[in-house]
Amino acid sequence: MAGLDLVALQDNIVAHVKTLVPDTNVYEDSTPDDNSLEVDEFGKVRPYVVLRFGPLRPSYSGKSLRGPRHDEYWASCDIAAIASKGRLARLLNMGLVDALIGYKPDGVSPMSMRTDAGDPAQFVVSSNESRPTQFIASTRLRFSVNAENPGAHVP
């Protein structure tokens, strides 16, 4: 799509998250191997963040009479905070969500909670001989964009 670089927008979000939590590892797309996770002196996994980005999708509203290149599109960002305790994972996740709601990368709408199938989730990955217990708190945010004219008004 002319004028739209979704990967550059995603890179902007990653860079911003790294400034929000400078002492926390931030990964894109997936978690590192269990044996490469940083642990503290007690063998507990240190908190870290994984950002997973969804593809560009057409909006059900915001259709243009000028054709699909002028339609409104949206993309998503899943924020997963992982820690050795559920409360720590939830605190890290909600702190990032709070800081990112309203954050506006250049050319797109401000980030907001996704209302369809983006409900926050918390779950645990149990330990075994080679893997420490990890609690995961996850929330999906979204942002809208006009593909032909990035930066044009989108609700």
Side-chain angles (χ1 to χ4, degrees):
M1 298 186 161
L4 177 61
D5 185 349
L6 187 59
V7 174
L9 293 170
Q10 295 165 348
D11 290 345
N12 178 297
I13 294 167
V14 171
H16 184 64
V17 168
K18 287 181 178 183
T19 67
L20 295 172
V21 288
D23 297 327
T24 303
N25 288 329
V26 177
Y27 301 98
E28 292 180 62
D29 303 320
S30 66
T31 60
D33 293 332
D34 290 335
N35 59 0
S36 67
L37 291 173
E38 290 185 23
V39 294
D40 64 17
E41 62 272 14
F42 305 107
K44 303 284 187 184
V45 66
R46 292 190 186 278
Y48 64 96
V49 174
V50 176
L51 300 176
R52 196 184 80 195
F53 295 97
L56 194 64
R57 299 173 189 202
S59 176
Y60 294 113
S61 62
K63 302 295 183 191
S64 170
L65 295 174
R66 295 178 60 199
R69 296 221 27 100
H70 297 272
D71 287 354
E72 180 183 316
Y73 294 85
W74 64 272
S76 63
C77 174
D78 293 336
I79 303 162
I82 298 95
S84 62
K85 297 197 178 293
R87 179 176 170 78
L88 292 175
R90 292 191 317 271
L91 285 169
L92 178 57
N93 180 262
M94 291 316 301
L96 286 171
V97 168
D98 182 52
L100 288 171
I101 287 178
Y103 175 66
K104 187 179 182 318
D106 290 338
V108 300
S109 70
M111 296 181 77
S112 62
M113 292 286 290
R114 183 170 168 203
T115 57
D116 52 334
D119 293 332
Q122 288 83 34
F123 49 96
V124 63
V125 177
S126 298
S127 63
N128 63 28
E129 306 81 44
S130 64
R131 178 181 62 230
T133 298
Q134 298 175 62
F135 290 84
I136 303 166
S138 177
T139 304
R140 179 168 291 163
L141 298 180
R142 66 181 283 173
F143 51 91
S144 299
V145 64
N146 176 302
E148 181 64 21
N149 185 11
H153 174 72
V154 286

